[in-house]
Amino acid sequence: MASPLAITPLASTSPTASTEMSLCRLRAGLSMCAAADDWVIHDPRLWLGKAYHSLLERVRIEPAETDPERVWDSEMSAAVRLASAHQFDRRYGDPVRWPSYFLIRQRALSAAASLRSRAGPSDRRFPNGAAGPIRSGTEKKLVARAGKLVGRPDRFDRTSVTDYKSNLPDPATPFGAEILERYRRQIRIYAAIIAEALGFWPERGIVAGPSGTSVTFDLDPSECDAEADRAVQELGDWNGALSSARDALQFANPSASSCQNCRFQLVCPAFWNWLGTTPGLGRTPGAPVAAAGRLKAVQLGNDGDLQTVTLSNVISTLPGACEVSMVTRRSIHGDAFASPPGTDYRIVGAGLRRDGRLSAEVATVLQPTQQIPEVLLRTDGVAHD
């Protein structure tokens, strides 16, 4: 088994962690645990979005000196290096195969060209060579509320704060509207951090998706300050709950809204324990499927890479599923043929075919349970499992 994931007391919180705390304490703890990221498969559209923002920031700072295509290629090379070192992300391979790659690249280069054409003389420095006041930034670390609030907004300036998301939910659905409000809250907290750290209030918040779509809303300073104060209060409540919890199961507060799209499903003991008593979760149509069960059979395909994996004694977000089969690729999803029958497995991020069978997507993870790390709570050097 891999080294345990330790949830420890937090000295500070962030806009993202704060929204996680309001959903599930354990989810928030995992989001602040660096080692937990090794067990999360990421969406490459998020890397493309960060490359987009980094390119535009370079152009804003040095419009004449920046070669947009070279900067874009450099950002892609850095993203590939990071992905290649990750046990799940390495499957994505060549960036040109990432979802929306060419669309986002073209928009980034077009936006960079537009910025360069409008650029005036640089005002980054005063005449004596000293650095000027910070007016904008990309993923710049900012601190507020006596160090208890720390944020790295994707992009900000005096007029707006932009938070880039790998996809935007449908606001016409109750679940989509709930997610969008979480995104708005994160941006309100970012705005309060910017105001305290840099002395100005951005006027608008922007939630931006990879396809060019975005949601824009006005920022009210009083609302933003209230959200920031609430985040600090939640930090204290979270640390208090951690100190009194017996184990990860007691610390967590699973629910349909917090668990359905949680990126930590694979490692979360509370999710699987709760799923065993709450089958189906009231799953939203189109949401990824999670399942756990015992390996019943593995049938290899003719090409030696395809494998049909069948699990029995299943618990799942799919109501009524007692046995599930899924065709996967050994080169992407791992070699289940090497596991003996009866091995416990978990599946997260699976798709659902029209005939009711599971489909393995690029982002689907199939993992033997015994290889998944335990989640421990650590307070005052004492670990609680």
Side-chain angles (χ1 to χ4, degrees):
M1 181 180 286
S3 299
L5 304 178
I7 308 301
T8 60
L10 298 175
S12 63
T13 187
S14 68
T16 300
S18 180
T19 56
E20 304 277 29
M21 286 177 183
S22 65
L23 288 169
C24 173
R25 290 183 293 267
L26 186 58
R27 176 170 170 171
L30 288 168
S31 74
M32 301 292 277
C33 173
D37 195 63
D38 294 339
W39 295 89
V40 173
I41 188 164
H42 301 88
D43 190 330
R45 290 175 296 183
L46 191 59
W47 308 331
L48 293 172
K50 290 182 177 180
Y52 179 104
H53 289 298
S54 295
L55 169 57
L56 297 192
E57 185 65 14
R58 285 282 296 276
V59 173
R60 289 185 184 99
I61 295 173
E62 298 178 324
E65 298 89 343
T66 299
D67 180 338
E69 292 201 18
R70 181 173 294 177
V71 172
W72 177 266
D73 290 343
S74 176
E75 291 290 332
M76 288 298 97
S77 296
V80 169
R81 284 196 298 274
L82 289 175
S84 298
H86 191 282
Q87 62 172 334
F88 300 141
D89 293 345
R90 64 170 64 110
R91 68 185 62 181
Y92 289 116
D94 191 338
V96 300
R97 299 170 58 189
W98 296 355
S100 305
Y101 172 83
F102 290 104
L103 174 64
I104 296 174
R105 178 182 183 275
Q106 185 56 46
R107 284 184 170 156
L109 295 179
S110 295
S114 178
L115 278 176
R116 295 182 76 190
S117 69
R118 303 195 308 265
S122 172
D123 61 353
R124 289 182 301 134
R125 294 188 175 276
F126 292 115
N128 63 3
I134 297 175
R135 300 177 180 178
S136 65
T138 298
E139 295 191 340
K140 181 176 179 61
K141 181 180 179 180
L142 302 173
V143 180
R145 298 301 194 271
K148 292 185 177 181
L149 264 182
V150 179
R152 294 179 181 271
D154 286 340
R155 161 73 190 158
F156 70 91
D157 56 30
R158 288 183 175 271
T159 62
S160 63
V161 186
T162 300
D163 200 17
Y164 192 91
K165 301 298 182 182
S166 58
N167 59 76
L168 293 183
D170 182 358
T173 66
F175 191 66
E178 180 183 338
I179 293 176
L180 195 57
E181 182 52 36
R182 293 177 206 159
Y183 294 165
R184 291 192 183 99
R185 182 180 180 229
Q186 289 176 16
I187 291 179
R188 292 187 188 107
I189 298 173
Y190 278 129
I193 295 174
I194 292 167
E196 182 174 330
L198 302 179
F200 64 85
W201 280 101
E203 300 170 1
R204 298 184 307 277
I206 302 173
V207 185
S211 63
T213 57
S214 63
V215 175
T216 301
F217 60 99
D218 293 334
L219 292 171
D220 181 301
S222 62
E223 291 181 356
C224 297
D225 269 334
E227 292 290 10
D229 292 340
R230 176 183 160 195
V232 173
Q233 178 62 49
E234 288 174 339
L235 173 65
D237 294 343
W238 187 93
N239 280 323
L242 179 67
S243 66
S244 61
R246 294 190 311 271
D247 52 33
L249 293 180
Q250 186 186 39
F251 187 55
N253 43 332
S255 67
S257 60
S258 65
C259 292
Q260 183 166 237
N261 287 290
C262 179
R263 62 192 182 280
F264 300 111
Q265 283 183 351
L266 183 69
V267 299
C268 180
F271 168 68
W272 298 103
N273 180 75
W274 185 59
L275 189 59
T277 59
T278 316
L281 293 180
R283 175 180 168 271
T284 299
V289 177
R294 293 182 177 176
L295 186 64
K296 180 178 181 179
V298 180
Q299 182 178 356
L300 292 182
N302 292 332
D303 65 354
D305 189 35
L306 286 175
Q307 59 182 4
T308 301
V309 179
T310 301
L311 303 183
S312 61
N313 301 104
V314 165
I315 58 172
S316 174
T317 55
L318 192 62
C322 297
E323 182 173 296
V324 296
S325 293
M326 184 173 68
V327 178
T328 70
R329 287 200 172 274
R330 300 165 80 188
S331 58
I332 295 176
H333 305 101
D335 185 9
F337 193 73
S339 299
T343 300
D344 289 330
Y345 264 86
R346 290 178 184 173
I347 298 171
V348 297
L352 186 63
R353 296 162 48 121
R354 290 185 178 181
D355 61 6
R357 290 187 295 171
L358 300 188
S359 63
E361 315 294 342
V362 176
T364 300
V365 175
L366 173 72
Q367 194 77 10
T369 304
Q370 65 182 8
Q371 295 179 8
I372 297 172
E374 186 179 11
V375 178
L376 304 179
L377 307 185
R378 295 189 183 276
T379 55
D380 299 326
V382 179
H384 306 278
D385 59 14

